Amino acid sequence: MALVIQALTRPKQHKIRAQVCLKFPPKVSSPGLMALWSAKGQNKGKLRMLMEYSGPRLQIQMVVTFVLTQAIHSVLKHLRLPMFISQILAGMILGPMVFRGKRSLITSSDQSVAVLGTVGAIGYMFFLFLSGVKMDVGMTFRSGKKVICIGVLTVVVPLMACLITAKSLNQESQFFTNKRVFLAVTYSATSFPVIHCLLSELKLLNSELGRLGLSAALIGEIVALFLLTICQWVVDGLENGWKVVVSNFGFFTVYFVIVVFWFRPVMKWMVRKTPEGGQIKNSYLYIVIGAFLVSHKLAELLKVYIVFAPFLVGLAVPDGPPLGSALVEKLEPIVEGLFMPLFVTTCGMRIDFSYLKNYGSFAKDQVISAVVTNFVKFGVSFLLPFLWNIPIRDSLAFAFIMLNKGIVEMASYSFMNDTLVISQDMFAFVTIIVILIASIVPIFVKTLYDPSSKHVRYLKKSIMDCKLNDELRIIGCIHVPANVNSIIDILNASCPTRQSPIALSVLHLIKLSGRATPLFIAHEKQSKSPSNNSYSENVVLAFNRLERDNWGAVSVKSFTAVSPPNLMHEDICNLVMDQFTSFLILPFHRRRHVDGSIESEDQTVRRLNFNILQKPPCSVGILVEGQRHVKCINSRDHMHDQYPLANSSTYTIAMIFMGGKDDWEALALAKRMSRDKSVKLTVIQFKAVDGFQDDDGDRMMDKQLLRNVKENTSTTYIEKEVKDGPETLTYLRSIVDDYKLFIVGRRYKREDPQTVGLHEWSEFQDIGIIGELLSSPDFGGKHSVLIVRHQ
């Protein structure tokens, strides 16, 4: 929690423990290894001579720190312990606990420790700034009453329990003291960055429990900041007089007005100057980063706590694209990958458990208060969701999530220790609590809560299970506006009527960038909110027009999911279950120009499709778009296809049949499309010359389905015998220009005589051999391909 540190960075009437002597001018850059090696008359070791220069010394310290951290984590990750624990342990190994009375390579001098600590502290300032950038304060106003109740009570109740416990343990001490209040708030607070880091590591950000935890943590963070600010002013008033409180409040108000009512409008002007969908200018980014860097000086002049400055500046930055996302993309890699590991390691270097041998009464009382507070916080966090009919395992997992401790608490105690607010024995006690909680929470949460388990209980449903006159529930996923045309083509070819309607759910998938909280927006329920439409306005308009043009035959629901790419499949699976979907359409990750050249290729989309295909929540179709001229949509226009059904006498479809469950599902979809007179369906069966067949059950089902096809006079049936893959390839090349859509089964890693010799040339085996052949630019690419995977 940022404000805990802010309130404790000013030392108050404490004596300095020791005097530190530094050499001036400092040695920064070394003359080089060769010069040091050839130096004569030096009794010191060459490495020790090199360590006298702060530049190479810092580089060596960073290398040793990262190597040791990765070595420890390579062991601890098998125990499901987070990287935070490995970094703390690395700091403890490099600190005074191991090198007692000696100087290690990392702590060769007081100056070397000061330089490493300064770099880590700068990294923590950037961490607070980015935490503010990614935090959506407006989310607190959109949270429901239950979430607000959880967020408030999980902070207030433990805080009161802590103060009462501390008072009962020491009746003679004053109840309302500066130190006691600060520690009580630290024990009971909920840190949003720590909760977000935990959920991100466990890949639970966009799960139901993850969304609840993020919302409650955000509210709890705000409540804790408010309580600490009020308590701090009350303590200052009791100790220094109320004039000091009025003065501090005035200075804080001035700083708040400058940041919120001057700097934030400037940043909003930068956003307005950026074209929609474009990237913000680098000069604007430099201005914002410069403001962040000088904010601590302004805070110092106005007597505002220095650590509070970057956090408030980050909150003032408009979250999301283009400004917030650009700042996160540029700064987060170096902050998370370089600065924060160094900072956590330096926090671990402060730990010395030898002080526990002679601990004081205050430390003992505070440890008891901290333990009681955590138990009360766990109980409140479990009881509230359980009373609102959340399952007991989920409620327990949620309680552990809200209990979690991490980098923010460790930083708070480290700053308290540096400013002599707490003693060394007290610091050792509280760090043990942080390490224990941070170690056990991920293990218990992962054990208690598995969001994928509910997919197992989902009722199996596919296109084969739907009667021809039943409503077909489809979900179409959109990544880029060009995907809209292909989805509309498939819907038109599916021949929706009032007697056999289609219920379409459109899911626009957007990468989460520049904000910490995933979003899932149901547009038909929040159509009055203009801010929500900005995410998917053009997509929603296009499909609303489709619904109007096919009134009664097509019903459309539009959704937007803003989440990390590695968690998008959770949003898709959740929507499949909520809408009782039978068929899911996913765009292929590669798109081509009319001339066959690659227009775009997104490996993130490919990984998403593969994750869905591995454990499909329903029948899945990978749609490879045909090469065609597309008129793109804008806010006042609509998309138009080159091949709309209404302008074509026939829409030719070929279904390639080789047998198996995937082909059964593909045939069921093709038969549903062929009911319209304008659709001409051809079923092509490839048979092996040697008569190879699948097991008896599959063979009987194949014969029954093909018998029905042969009896249907509106469907053309072709039986083609082939002896190997090259012969299959030759035949497909000869017919590829005769059809506008090919429907094939995925048949993942199936070995058949009809495809022998083609596997070694396969680039995208995840869509099957036949599907990849038909998607290849060597086949012309003017047709579309739908690769079907059975549930």
Side-chain angles (χ1 to χ4, degrees):
M1 209 180 75
L3 202 54
V4 174
I5 303 168
Q6 304 149 16
L8 299 169
T9 51
R10 295 188 306 176
K12 294 184 178 181
Q13 300 177 357
H14 291 295
K15 295 181 180 180
I16 300 176
R17 297 182 194 173
Q19 293 181 349
V20 179
C21 298
L22 303 178
K23 295 180 180 180
F24 287 96
K27 297 179 180 180
V28 179
S29 300
S30 69
L33 290 176
M34 295 302 296
L36 292 174
W37 187 263
S38 61
K40 297 181 179 180
Q42 298 289 345
N43 296 324
K44 298 180 179 180
K46 304 303 180 182
L47 182 59
R48 187 168 295 277
M49 292 173 57
L50 183 65
M51 293 296 289
E52 292 181 354
Y53 297 90
S54 60
R57 182 178 63 228
L58 177 62
Q59 296 172 6
I60 294 175
Q61 290 172 332
M62 292 168 60
V63 171
V64 172
T65 299
F66 283 107
V67 170
L68 182 58
T69 299
Q70 293 300 323
I72 296 174
H73 190 63
S74 64
V75 177
L76 297 184
K77 68 180 181 181
H78 299 292
L79 303 176
R80 294 189 287 184
L81 296 179
M83 177 65 77
F84 169 74
I85 299 298
S86 302
Q87 294 165 350
I88 289 291
L89 293 179
M92 294 170 62
I93 293 174
L94 298 172
M97 289 186 59
V98 176
F99 297 93
R100 185 170 306 282
K102 300 178 182 180
R103 290 294 185 180
S104 67
L105 184 67
I106 300 297
T107 60
S108 58
S109 65
D110 293 325
Q111 188 173 6
S112 67
V113 177
V115 172
L116 187 64
T118 301
V119 174
I122 293 174
Y124 189 68
M125 296 298 111
F126 273 97
F127 173 77
L128 292 178
F129 171 69
L130 290 179
S131 297
V133 172
K134 294 187 290 186
M135 191 177 294
D136 182 12
V137 181
M139 182 179 173
T140 58
F141 302 103
R142 300 190 297 268
S143 302
K145 295 181 180 179
K146 294 181 179 180
V147 177
I148 295 176
C149 183
I150 292 175
V152 173
L153 292 181
T154 51
V155 174
V156 174
V157 175
L159 176 61
M160 298 305 299
C162 181
L163 293 175
I164 294 173
T165 302
K167 178 62 177 177
S168 62
L169 291 174
N170 194 344
Q171 297 288 344
E172 299 178 358
S173 63
Q174 184 180 351
F175 179 75
F176 212 68
T177 62
N178 200 344
K179 183 189 301 187
R180 180 171 293 169
V181 170
F182 294 153
L183 289 172
V185 176
T186 309
Y187 302 150
S188 59
T190 304
S191 174
F192 180 83
V194 171
I195 302 300
H196 178 270
C197 182
L198 171 68
L199 295 173
S200 180
E201 288 184 357
L202 297 179
K203 298 181 179 180
L204 298 176
L205 274 179
N206 57 350
S207 64
E208 294 179 3
L209 204 63
R211 296 178 190 275
L212 176 61
L214 283 178
S215 301
L218 178 58
I219 295 171
E221 177 94 20
I222 295 174
V223 171
L225 292 175
F226 175 77
L227 290 176
L228 185 59
T229 304
I230 298 300
C231 292
Q232 176 195 340
W233 284 340
V234 172
V235 172
D236 284 344
L238 296 175
E239 293 181 355
N240 305 317
W242 294 103
K243 290 183 179 180
V244 176
V245 176
V246 174
S247 175
N248 291 339
F249 177 77
F251 284 128
F252 176 81
T253 303
V254 172
Y255 183 82
F256 183 84
V257 169
I258 292 175
V259 172
V260 176
F261 295 100
W262 180 77
F263 187 56
R264 181 173 173 82
V266 170
M267 290 186 289
K268 287 188 174 181
W269 175 83
M270 296 176 182
V271 173
R272 289 195 299 269
K273 285 293 183 179
T274 304
E276 184 177 356
Q279 295 184 348
I280 198 163
K281 294 181 180 178
N282 288 332
S283 57
Y284 293 162
L285 294 178
Y286 300 149
I287 292 174
V288 176
I289 296 174
F292 151 68
L293 293 175
V294 302
S295 61
H296 74 281
K297 189 62 179 179
L298 178 62
E300 183 179 355
L301 293 175
L302 296 176
K303 299 181 180 180
V304 177
Y305 301 116
I306 294 177
V307 186
F308 183 53
F311 184 71
L312 186 57
V313 172
L315 283 177
V317 176
D319 63 320
L323 182 55
S325 58
L327 287 171
V328 172
E329 289 174 1
K330 288 185 177 295
L331 296 178
E332 193 170 45
I334 190 172
V335 173
E336 298 289 344
L338 176 63
F339 287 134
M340 289 309 296
L342 288 177
F343 177 74
V344 177
T345 303
T346 56
C347 292
M349 293 168 62
R350 294 175 169 89
I351 302 174
D352 189 353
F353 292 148
S354 64
Y355 288 96
L356 297 178
K357 298 177 182 178
N358 300 307
Y359 58 86
S361 59
F362 177 78
K364 182 186 69 174
D365 294 343
Q366 285 299 312
V367 168
I368 296 175
S369 300
V371 172
V372 171
T373 303
N374 285 305
F375 272 107
V376 173
K377 187 177 183 67
F378 181 86
V380 174
S381 302
F382 165 75
L383 190 60
L384 289 176
F386 181 71
L387 292 177
W388 287 317
N389 298 324
I390 293 181
I392 185 170
R393 289 177 63 90
D394 293 0
S395 299
L396 285 171
F398 177 77
F400 278 109
I401 290 174
M402 299 300 290
L403 184 66
N404 192 40
K405 308 293 181 184
I407 176 59
V408 174
E409 289 78 14
M410 198 69 200
S412 301
Y413 299 136
S414 297
F415 277 101
M416 292 181 194
N417 181 53
D418 293 345
T419 54
L420 308 181
V421 174
I422 60 176
S423 57
Q424 286 285 0
D425 57 339
M426 178 67 195
F427 179 68
F429 273 123
V430 293
T431 52
I432 290 176
I433 295 176
V434 171
I435 293 173
L436 287 177
I437 293 178
S439 300
I440 66 173
V441 164
I443 298 175
F444 278 102
V445 173
K446 195 69 176 178
T447 303
L448 292 169
Y449 184 69
D450 182 12
S452 62
S453 61
K454 59 186 177 183
H455 300 164
V456 179
R457 299 189 297 267
Y458 176 61
L459 179 63
K460 291 186 177 181
K461 196 172 184 181
S462 61
I463 300 176
M464 291 184 64
D465 296 324
C466 295
K467 298 180 180 180
L468 289 179
N469 293 328
D470 288 346
E471 181 184 61
L472 179 62
R473 294 179 175 269
I474 299 176
I475 289 180
C477 294
I478 306 295
H479 295 284
V480 294
N483 297 147
V484 175
N485 268 357
S486 300
I487 300 293
I488 292 178
D489 278 351
I490 293 297
L491 293 174
N492 287 331
S494 299
C495 307
T497 62
R498 294 179 182 271
Q499 292 73 30
S500 179
I502 290 179
L504 174 66
S505 297
V506 181
L507 180 59
H508 189 196
L509 297 165
I510 300 176
K511 176 184 176 182
L512 179 67
S513 180
R515 58 185 304 142
T517 310
L519 291 177
F520 192 86
I521 304 169
H523 290 279
E524 78 280 4
K525 295 179 180 178
Q526 302 180 11
S527 58
K528 296 182 180 179
S529 175
S531 61
N532 290 336
N533 290 336
S534 62
Y535 284 100
S536 311
E537 179 181 4
N538 300 335
V539 174
V540 173
L541 289 175
F543 283 98
N544 284 346
R545 183 193 180 194
L546 172 69
E547 184 177 23
R548 291 196 303 268
D549 294 342
N550 298 272
W551 188 256
V554 176
S555 60
V556 177
K557 294 181 180 180
S558 299
F559 303 88
T560 297
V562 185
S563 59
N566 62 331
L567 299 178
M568 285 181 178
H569 64 280
E570 289 292 337
D571 288 320
I572 296 175
C573 292
N574 290 335
L575 187 61
V576 167
M577 291 190 299
D578 293 340
Q579 301 298 319
F580 300 100
T581 303
S582 299
F583 190 53
L584 169 65
I585 302 177
L586 300 172
F588 192 52
H589 69 277
R590 177 181 285 182
R591 302 182 66 254
R592 296 185 181 275
H593 290 291
V594 177
D595 59 1
S597 61
I598 297 177
E599 177 184 353
S600 63
E601 183 170 358
D602 194 337
Q603 292 300 321
T604 300
V605 176
R606 183 182 182 183
R607 287 191 293 270
L608 170 65
N609 293 348
F610 186 77
N611 289 336
I612 294 292
L613 290 171
Q614 286 296 96
K615 295 181 179 180
C618 64
S619 295
V620 180
I622 303 295
L623 179 59
V624 182
E625 303 174 11
Q627 301 161 14
R628 56 185 179 178
H629 299 283
V630 176
K631 181 180 179 182
C632 295
I633 186 173
N634 55 44
S635 58
R636 292 182 176 83
D637 201 0
H638 296 284
M639 286 186 172
H640 301 281
D641 297 315
Q642 185 181 0
Y643 305 123
L645 287 178
N647 298 333
S648 178
S649 56
T650 57
Y651 188 83
T652 52
I653 300 177
M655 190 274 145
I656 308 300
F657 189 92
M658 296 175 63
K661 294 182 179 180
D662 291 345
D663 284 2
W664 301 345
E665 192 72 1
L667 180 60
L669 178 63
K671 289 170 62 178
R672 191 179 184 100
M673 292 180 174
S674 65
R675 291 176 303 158
D676 192 276
K677 296 180 180 180
S678 62
V679 175
K680 179 65 176 178
L681 173 63
T682 301
V683 177
I684 303 172
Q685 182 191 13
F686 284 113
K687 294 186 66 175
V689 174
D690 58 5
F692 174 83
Q693 295 288 346
D694 292 326
D695 60 76
D696 293 339
D698 288 352
R699 181 170 43 183
M700 292 179 60
M701 188 65 178
D702 291 343
K703 290 182 178 180
Q704 180 180 347
L705 292 175
L706 292 176
R707 187 183 304 113
N708 295 334
V709 171
K710 296 174 184 178
E711 294 174 355
N712 190 344
T713 57
S714 62
T715 301
T716 303
Y717 171 75
I718 299 176
E719 183 178 298
K720 178 66 178 178
E721 289 190 350
V722 292
K723 62 181 180 180
D724 54 18
E727 189 170 339
T728 301
L729 177 63
T730 302
Y731 180 77
L732 289 176
R733 197 187 299 275
S734 66
I735 65 170
V736 70
D737 293 329
D738 299 335
Y739 304 97
K740 296 177 182 178
L741 174 65
F742 283 86
I743 302 177
V744 300
R746 184 186 182 218
R747 299 177 59 82
Y748 183 57
K749 292 184 177 180
R750 291 284 298 270
E751 295 289 343
D752 301 299
Q754 301 96 313
T755 57
V756 169
L758 299 179
H759 288 273
E760 53 267 27
W761 301 100
S762 176
E763 182 181 3
F764 305 118
Q765 292 191 8
D766 45 330
I767 60 174
I769 299 298
I770 301 299
E772 182 179 0
L773 288 177
L774 294 170
S775 306
S776 171
D778 297 336
F779 277 64
K782 293 182 180 180
H783 55 275
S784 297
V785 184
L786 186 63
I787 300 98
V788 179
R789 163 78 157 92
H790 188 272
Q791 185 188 22

